Amino acid sequence: GDSVTQMEGPVTLSEEAFLTINCTYTATGYPSLFWYVQYPGEGLQLLLKATKADDKGSNKGFEATYRKETTSFHLEKGSVQVSDSAVYFCALSGGGYQKVTFGTGTKLQVIP
Amino acid sequence: KAGVTQTPRYLIKTRGQQVTLSCSPISGHRSVSWYQQTPGQGLQFLFEYFSETQRNKGNFPGRFSGRQFSNSRSEMNVSTLELGDSALYLCASSLVSGAQTDTQYFGPGTRLTVL
């Protein structure tokens, strides 16, 4: 079945550092890929998405490119801020009605 | 436009009781999905409803059930609660049905604690 693998956290970075959170997936066909963010005490918010190979999703300085050849969708940001501290989930939607498969989440802590 | 709302936000129950959680999707959204989030298992898909019909179901026991009303609002019920049911239950709505490119929008969740 479908699966998503994310790098283990927590990730601790200094403000203005470069961020990469790795995500790889296994799916049949051509899934859509998503990054969601969860702030403490809140639900998930869509950060960005890509629906086909070589698409780049971007939002709030975050970017991720759909790489079919490596089945990856790594999240990057050039300069993180303290306000980016949250848990980040990689997810895919590939089969079945609205069945989204999530990774385990990566906690990011940004220190001033 | 109002987001997905879930009630109640917090709930404390004891083992053996049953509980009903409610979700109101974004206006115009007809698909509602439910997820269980726990530290150990992460986010797990429970079920998805569209036009009052359950179209997809995850690997949860029959104690977990749901329904959707004609106005797209959805409820989730857990009977005979167990300690392991303590979790954050998230509801998500989306606009169209069956499109894998569609985006799910999540509510803030209901935090259920079973004592």
Side-chain angles (χ1 to χ4, degrees):
Chain A
D2 296 347
S3 68
V4 176
T5 303
Q6 285 182 241
M7 63 186 289
E8 294 281 333
V11 173
T12 301
L13 295 173
S14 297
E15 205 165 23
E16 299 184 1
F18 185 86
L19 168 71
T20 299
I21 300 178
N22 291 335
C23 171
T24 57
Y25 67 90
T26 301
T28 54
Y30 302 92
S32 291
L33 302 174
F34 306 84
W35 276 101
Y36 283 87
V37 58
Q38 186 175 34
Y39 298 100
E42 298 183 12
L44 276 67
Q45 300 175 24
L46 177 69
L47 184 57
L48 53 84
K49 74 176 189 182
T51 58
K52 61 182 186 298
D54 299 324
D55 265 3
K56 177 185 282 188
S58 61
N59 186 26
K60 300 180 181 179
F62 290 90
E63 292 183 341
T65 300
Y66 190 141
R67 301 286 188 200
K68 193 171 189 317
E69 64 276 13
T70 55
T71 62
S72 65
F73 193 55
H74 305 321
L75 182 67
E76 296 182 336
K77 187 176 185 183
S79 177
V80 293
Q81 305 300 313
V82 172
S83 57
D84 294 326
S85 298
V87 180
Y88 292 81
F89 291 90
C90 184
L92 70 82
S93 175
Y97 292 108
Q98 294 302 312
K99 182 175 185 289
V100 179
T101 302
F102 288 87
T104 53
T106 302
K107 184 174 182 179
L108 169 67
Q109 182 179 18
V110 181
I111 56 178
Chain B
K1 184 182 275 191
V4 178
T5 58
Q6 292 187 244
T7 55
R9 291 292 311 275
Y10 302 91
L11 208 48
I12 299 175
K13 293 286 188 180
T14 56
R15 280 181 299 173
Q17 287 187 310
Q18 75 167 19
V19 66
T20 299
L21 313 181
S22 180
C23 171
S24 293
I26 291 172
S27 178
H29 285 195
R30 297 173 64 191
S31 173
V32 173
S33 299
W34 289 89
Y35 296 84
Q36 181 195 65
Q37 185 178 23
T38 59
Q41 299 297 318
L43 277 156
Q44 294 187 285
F45 173 77
L46 280 155
F47 27 65
E48 186 262 347
Y49 286 87
F50 180 82
S51 290
E52 303 178 62
T53 300
Q54 184 185 94
R55 301 188 305 175
N56 207 347
K57 190 177 189 304
N59 296 322
F60 279 82
R63 300 184 297 106
F64 291 81
S65 63
R67 60 178 175 168
Q68 187 180 34
F69 301 94
S70 58
N71 61 358
S72 294
R73 190 177 69 85
S74 177
E75 287 183 347
M76 188 194 116
N77 185 275
V78 187
S79 62
T80 319
L81 284 166
E82 301 177 359
L83 295 179
D85 297 334
S86 294
L88 181 67
Y89 290 89
L90 292 165
C91 168
S93 74
S94 60
L95 186 60
V96 298
S97 75
Q100 68 182 49
T101 58
D102 198 20
T103 297
Q104 293 193 331
Y105 295 88
F106 284 80
T110 294
R111 172 74 63 185
L112 172 64
T113 302
V114 182
L115 303 176

